[in-house]
């Protein structure tokens, strides 16, 4: 039983760290456009889809940073 409790603690820490990292990464995604006429849900979804098609998923996660850069170019911050 002692061995199982020694394995659980690092596993809990690792899972907690990964969840916190995911929440931080999601909060960095731009969601406000500098142009008030474009600051709506339909424009956001269109721009986000365009950026997602331009930068498809990669195993390393680089695509997230590229998509954020693409959204920044489109005026989202």
């Amino acid at each position: 039983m002692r061995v199982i409790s020694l394995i659980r603690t690092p596993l809990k820490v690792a899972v907690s760290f990964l969840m916190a990292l995911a929440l931080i990464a999601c909060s960095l995604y731009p969601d406000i456009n500098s142009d008030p006429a474009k600051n709506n849900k339909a424009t956001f979804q269109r721009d986000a889809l365009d950026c997602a098609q331009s930068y498809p998923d990669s195993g390393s996660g680089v695509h997230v940073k590229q998509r954020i850069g693409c959204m920044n170019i489109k005026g989202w911050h």
Side-chain angles (χ1 to χ4, degrees), residues 7-50:
I7 293 173
R8 276 191 198 159
T9 303
L11 186 60
K12 285 181 183 178
V13 170
V15 168
S16 298
F17 177 74
L18 289 175
M19 288 177 65
L21 188 62
L23 288 173
I24 290 169
C26 289
S27 69
L28 296 176
Y29 203 79
D31 60 350
I32 299 171
N33 198 308
S34 55
D35 182 0
K38 294 181 178 180
N39 197 15
N40 57 56
K41 188 175 180 179
T43 305
F44 174 80
Q45 288 177 342
R46 186 175 57 243
D47 288 346
L49 184 59
D50 182 47

